[in-house]
Amino acid sequence: MALSLGEGGGGSRLRRQLESGGFAAGEYVKQLSQQSDGDRDLQEHRQRIQALSEETAQSLKRNVYQNYRQFIETAREISYLESEMYQLSHILTEQKGIMEAVTQALLLQADRDDPALGARRAAAADPFLPLSAKDAAANEEGRQRTLTTLLEKVEGCRDLLPESPGKYLVYNGDLVEYDADHMAQIQRVHAFLMNDCLLVATALPNRRGAYRYDALYPLDGLAVVNVKDNPPMKDMFKLLMFPESRIFQAENAKIKKEWLEVLEETKRNRALSEKRRLEQEALPRPAPTPPESTNPFDEDEDEEEDEPSAEEEVVDLSLEWIQELPEDLDVCIAQRDFEGAVDLLDKLNEYLADKPVSQPVKELRAKVDERVRQLTDVLVFELSPDRSLRGGPRATRRAVSQLIRLGQSTKACELFLKNRAAAVQTAIRQLRIEGATLLYIHKLCHVFFTSLLETAREFETDFAGNNGCYSAFVVWARSSMRMFVDAFSKQVFDSKESLSTAAECVKVAKEHCKQLSEIGLDLTFIIHALLVKDIKGALQSYKDIIIEATKHRNSEEMWRKMNLMTPEALGKLREEMRSCGVGNFDQYTGDDCWVNLSYTVVAFTKQTMAFLEEALKLYFPELHMVLLESLVEIILVAVQHVDYSLRCEQDPEKKVFIRQNASFLYETVLPVVEKRFEEGVGKPAKQLQDLRNASRLMRVNPESTTSVV
């Protein structure tokens, strides 16, 4: 550029002039035109301005890129800061809950030490808490009356919500439900929060103050999540109840805050009451003393009955991690922390392994079993074919391993194989059908056998200690192979491809199938069994084509020598016959470019040997008789025609020529066919030997003038 060629000073002046505030383009061009000596000066000045423009553009690009990088880094820092603020908020919430729990525990301990002080404090804190049994009964009756009155307005909940002495209404109010995916308004609902559950009812149209039952959620399996305001979506909170979640909007921020606080407080009170109940049930109770008996044998029986009760161990279920286990499992399931959930279950099973099964243990087991069912359902959904199939077999390892740890190895095996079957089927369907069949078969074999090999390796990793699942894998591999063969046959055999193309495609499939032997899986016999019908049909179809072509040439046979006209054509024919296995073809060539054989016999030789070579590529033991019978039928058409012509021909010269062709068929072609068949199959064929040894293959009527086949 002009600025880089020793004109840096002029470029700086030009830049300052263009950047000045009072720059006028018209005046500048007019002045420049007056000062220039000619067109060359204007061209040089134009180049300098152009170079300055490019330099300015590059500088702008660098500044934009630098600012863009700074913007990305700032956005990343903001994201990190937001994450840390969220974690800090979560920690503060947990600390608040811990402090409230400690305060509540200290108050309970003080109440136990001084009951009178506890009663006065409770009366001061809650005006509804009675100081006498009469007042307690009246307050309890009033709460239940209020609950009954409200529930009478809700249709369909009387049978689902039976009355119980300890159930009472804590809070209720109107909410608006929104769709969790699209954030679209669904309906208006009224929620009733009781001390042990949450009832959601929908408003009835044209009936003010009346509702219809919608759902009932126990507080034990309910999680409350605050939803950040994102105008116009604000004042919302989410309820998590496995396997669903619902989003509700309060009337304003104050009511939303009340809902969040009262829900957390009610859940906490519910957990504390449940903990106290378990502690009371875990305390040993004195056994009633039986009346004295005068029977001397009762003493021995009493001693025997007292022995197990003396040895019975009291299970301590008041540990903090056991009390919080159901809620911890709900959190792990909601957060998709499957490993953490299974670890908690293993920890509980290990703790209760040598403990007696008491009533509190049974109740705890019932709660935990419900969470186990929920966890199993989630893992089953993770392995369902409806989920995304990307990621290969390793993507299923997490869910499969946790199902196995839960003792569901059979179900894990079934779901894993169903998932992989759907993945393989989808991969095959997504293959584009190319114009060239062989190219499509290469892609099909690569996709299918690679997927099968990866699935087998992953199966061996996941189910290493479950030998009973391997039979299921073999059955699955067979069904998958059937799906592959259906796609293979539809493209190769149903489209009527040539025998050579079909042979190459089958060869490719066999080579890919041998790769499975690396993991000890041999499916060659399965692919043979599934392809045998199509290959038989292809062999018979091509046999019929050769027979029809041979008959057509026989009908036009004039028994004349071949004149190939050029040495090149003769050399090409020699090479073709040599590739067919005919090594002594030179003895049948004459002077110049003549061949002492009929065109029909030469064409038959090339076509028959080509058929044999392609058929041997397709060969396996189940096709032995089909291939042998096809060869015999093809050869019979030629030798019968030669035999008939030899018996019917009257011209002595042509008769000598026909004998020469017959000698070529019997002494050269048939031994080559027999030898090549034995090499490809591994054993000789008696039918071909008999065909070669026969001097006359069929007796015909000498007076007949048509060929008998």
Side-chain angles (χ1 to χ4, degrees):
M1 293 188 298
L3 290 176
S4 62
L5 298 175
E7 298 185 7
S12 300
R13 289 193 300 272
L14 179 60
R15 181 189 297 275
R16 287 195 299 271
Q17 186 176 0
L18 294 176
E19 290 177 351
S20 62
F23 175 75
E27 293 295 330
Y28 176 75
V29 173
K30 183 178 179 181
Q31 182 181 2
L32 184 65
S33 301
Q34 292 175 355
Q35 294 177 356
S36 62
D37 294 337
D39 182 64
R40 184 172 182 179
D41 291 343
L42 292 176
Q43 290 290 341
E44 291 177 354
H45 202 80
R46 181 177 180 276
Q47 290 178 1
R48 286 197 293 272
I49 294 176
Q50 183 68 27
L52 185 61
S53 173
E54 293 177 358
E55 182 182 352
T56 304
Q58 291 294 330
S59 177
L60 285 174
K61 286 182 181 179
R62 285 194 296 271
N63 290 336
V64 168
Y65 178 70
Q66 185 176 5
N67 293 336
Y68 181 66
R69 289 184 58 188
Q70 292 177 355
F71 173 76
I72 293 176
E73 293 175 357
T74 305
R76 188 180 294 115
E77 291 296 330
I78 292 174
S79 177
Y80 291 156
L81 181 60
E82 183 180 5
S83 176
E84 291 175 356
M85 291 295 293
Y86 177 78
Q87 293 177 4
L88 182 60
S89 174
H90 184 67
I91 292 172
L92 289 175
T93 304
E94 288 184 349
Q95 292 294 331
K96 177 184 175 183
I98 293 172
M99 292 177 66
E100 290 178 353
V102 170
T103 304
Q104 188 72 15
L106 292 174
L107 291 176
L108 290 174
Q109 184 64 32
D111 292 346
R112 292 195 187 101
D113 297 339
D114 190 352
L117 178 61
R120 288 195 300 272
R121 184 186 298 109
D126 188 356
F128 297 102
L129 188 63
L131 297 177
S132 64
K134 183 177 180 180
D135 294 338
N139 189 36
E140 183 70 23
E141 184 179 354
R143 284 181 169 182
Q144 288 203 358
R145 189 183 302 113
T146 303
L147 175 61
T148 305
T149 303
L150 288 173
L151 294 182
E152 285 178 352
K153 300 179 181 180
V154 182
E155 294 182 358
C157 72
R158 178 63 61 184
D159 297 334
L160 296 171
L161 197 66
E163 296 182 6
S164 60
K167 188 184 296 292
Y168 59 88
L169 184 68
V170 178
Y171 194 80
N172 71 94
D174 291 326
L175 298 169
V176 180
E177 183 177 5
Y178 280 78
D179 182 74
D181 296 326
H182 308 290
M183 298 307 292
Q185 182 175 336
I186 300 177
Q187 60 186 350
R188 300 188 66 85
V189 300
H190 194 91
F192 299 90
L193 176 62
M194 284 152 275
N195 60 324
D196 61 346
C197 62
L198 176 68
L199 172 66
V200 180
T202 57
L204 288 174
N206 304 325
R207 290 181 60 184
R208 186 174 182 180
Y211 307 97
R212 179 184 290 112
Y213 168 82
D214 182 68
L216 181 68
Y217 304 110
L219 292 183
D220 295 340
L222 187 68
V224 187
V225 179
N226 182 26
V227 178
K228 291 178 62 178
D229 289 347
N230 185 15
M233 301 302 174
K234 59 181 182 177
D235 304 330
M236 292 184 173
F237 60 92
K238 181 184 290 187
L239 297 182
L240 302 177
M241 309 77 58
F242 178 83
E244 60 178 322
S245 63
R246 301 176 72 171
I247 293 181
F248 298 100
Q249 183 183 45
E251 186 176 351
N252 51 49
K254 180 182 177 182
I255 296 179
K256 170 189 172 181
K257 182 179 179 182
E258 291 178 358
W259 269 109
L260 293 175
E261 291 178 352
V262 75
L263 279 167
E264 290 295 337
E265 184 67 24
T266 307
K267 281 172 57 68
R268 193 179 301 112
N269 293 338
R270 172 70 177 170
L272 288 173
S273 62
E274 188 70 17
K275 181 178 180 181
R276 292 195 205 101
R277 187 181 66 82
L278 292 176
E279 288 177 352
Q280 292 175 0
E281 292 178 354
L283 293 176
R285 299 177 181 177
T289 57
E292 294 184 0
S293 174
T294 57
N295 188 351
F297 297 100
D298 288 345
E299 297 179 1
D300 298 335
E301 295 177 358
D302 293 341
E303 291 177 0
E304 293 176 359
E305 292 176 357
D306 290 342
E307 288 179 1
S309 61
E311 296 177 358
E312 185 175 352
E313 180 184 354
V314 177
V315 183
D316 183 12
L317 299 180
S318 61
L319 299 176
E320 183 180 358
W321 70 271
I322 293 181
Q323 295 296 320
E324 297 178 355
L325 182 65
E327 292 187 357
D328 290 343
L329 288 174
D330 290 335
V331 172
C332 288
I333 294 172
Q335 295 180 347
R336 300 172 60 80
D337 184 11
F338 307 136
E339 294 82 0
V342 179
D343 289 341
L344 288 174
L345 292 172
D346 289 344
K347 184 179 179 181
L348 178 65
N349 292 331
E350 183 179 356
Y351 178 76
L352 298 178
D354 54 350
K355 303 292 190 300
V357 182
S358 60
Q359 185 61 28
V361 173
K362 290 181 180 178
E363 294 179 359
L364 178 62
R365 283 288 191 186
K367 292 182 180 180
V368 172
D369 289 344
E370 178 64 26
R371 271 69 177 185
V372 171
R373 283 192 292 271
Q374 295 175 3
L375 178 60
T376 303
D377 292 341
V378 174
L379 294 174
V380 168
F381 179 70
E382 288 293 314
L383 291 174
S384 63
D386 297 334
R387 296 282 290 171
S388 176
L389 299 174
R390 297 179 180 178
R394 292 185 180 180
T396 63
R397 181 180 298 178
R398 185 185 180 203
V400 168
S401 61
Q402 302 314 313
L403 275 177
I404 294 174
R405 290 179 63 189
L406 289 174
Q408 302 280 347
S409 58
T410 303
K411 181 178 290 186
C413 175
E414 178 184 357
L415 293 170
F416 172 77
L417 295 178
K418 282 185 179 180
N419 181 282
R420 296 313 306 154
V424 172
Q425 189 173 12
T426 302
I428 291 177
R429 286 178 178 176
Q430 290 177 349
L431 274 179
R432 294 180 58 187
I433 299 179
E434 306 287 348
T437 301
L438 188 58
L439 178 60
Y440 172 79
I441 294 301
H442 272 288
K443 292 183 178 180
L444 176 65
C445 292
H446 175 73
V447 168
F448 174 76
F449 286 102
T450 301
S451 299
L452 197 64
L453 189 60
E454 291 177 352
T455 301
R457 288 172 175 167
E458 184 64 26
F459 187 90
E460 191 173 9
T461 301
D462 293 344
F463 300 92
N466 298 274
N467 295 330
C469 296
Y470 281 85
S471 57
F473 176 77
V474 174
V475 173
W476 173 85
R478 181 181 179 87
S479 64
S480 299
M481 185 66 75
R482 186 177 292 109
M483 178 177 60
F484 163 76
V485 169
D486 289 342
F488 181 92
S489 299
K490 188 179 297 183
Q491 189 67 20
V492 175
F493 297 107
D494 293 353
S495 58
K496 304 299 181 183
E497 292 289 340
S498 64
L499 190 65
S500 60
T501 302
E504 288 297 326
C505 293
V506 172
K507 181 181 177 182
V508 170
K510 287 182 179 179
E511 290 175 352
H512 278 83
C513 195
K514 290 179 181 178
Q515 295 177 359
L516 299 177
S517 60
E518 299 176 5
I519 59 171
L521 184 64
D522 186 5
L523 298 179
T524 308
F525 68 99
I526 294 179
I527 198 171
H528 285 173
L530 295 174
L531 285 176
V532 63
K533 181 179 178 181
D534 291 324
I535 296 178
K536 281 183 179 179
L539 289 176
Q540 292 174 352
S541 175
Y542 201 69
K543 174 204 70 176
D544 294 338
I545 292 174
I546 294 177
I547 290 176
E548 288 299 322
T550 305
K551 286 182 178 180
H552 179 72
R553 289 192 296 267
N554 290 345
S555 65
E556 298 177 352
E557 179 62 77
M558 301 298 294
W559 294 114
R560 295 176 180 174
K561 296 181 180 181
M562 292 179 62
N563 185 3
L564 298 179
M565 308 299 293
T566 62
E568 290 79 8
L570 180 60
K572 182 179 179 181
L573 180 60
R574 282 197 183 101
E575 187 63 31
E576 290 176 351
M577 298 304 288
R578 191 177 296 110
S579 65
C580 291
V582 180
N584 59 344
F585 185 72
D586 289 341
Q587 71 183 37
Y588 295 98
T589 57
D591 299 333
D592 297 330
C593 298
W594 288 91
V595 177
N596 299 326
L597 292 173
S598 168
Y599 166 77
T600 301
V601 173
V602 172
F604 168 79
T605 302
K606 293 193 292 184
Q607 201 167 20
T608 302
M609 294 306 300
F611 170 77
L612 179 59
E613 290 297 330
E614 301 301 337
L616 288 176
K617 294 179 183 178
L618 297 168
Y619 177 83
F620 45 87
E622 290 82 357
L623 297 172
H624 183 82
M625 291 307 301
V626 176
L627 176 57
L628 189 57
E629 291 172 358
S630 299
L631 278 174
V632 170
E633 288 185 38
I634 292 172
I635 294 172
L636 277 175
V637 173
V639 297
Q640 286 174 1
H641 173 67
V642 172
D643 179 72
Y644 175 76
S645 300
L646 189 60
R647 292 175 59 83
C648 297
E649 184 60 52
Q650 302 299 325
D651 187 351
E653 292 184 1
K654 284 189 176 182
K655 208 163 188 176
V656 172
F657 182 67
I658 294 173
R659 286 197 184 96
Q660 190 173 3
N661 282 271
S663 173
F664 176 74
L665 282 176
Y666 283 113
E667 298 175 4
T668 303
V669 177
L670 291 185
V672 170
V673 171
E674 182 181 346
K675 179 182 178 182
R676 184 69 189 93
F677 184 88
E678 184 176 353
E679 289 175 353
V681 173
K683 57 182 179 180
K686 185 174 182 303
Q687 292 88 334
L688 293 177
Q689 292 177 357
D690 295 342
L691 195 62
R692 179 170 58 86
N693 294 332
S695 58
R696 300 255 179 200
L697 300 179
M698 182 175 289
R699 297 290 182 179
V700 295
N701 184 4
E703 299 177 357
S704 175
T705 58
T706 59
S707 176
V708 180
V709 178

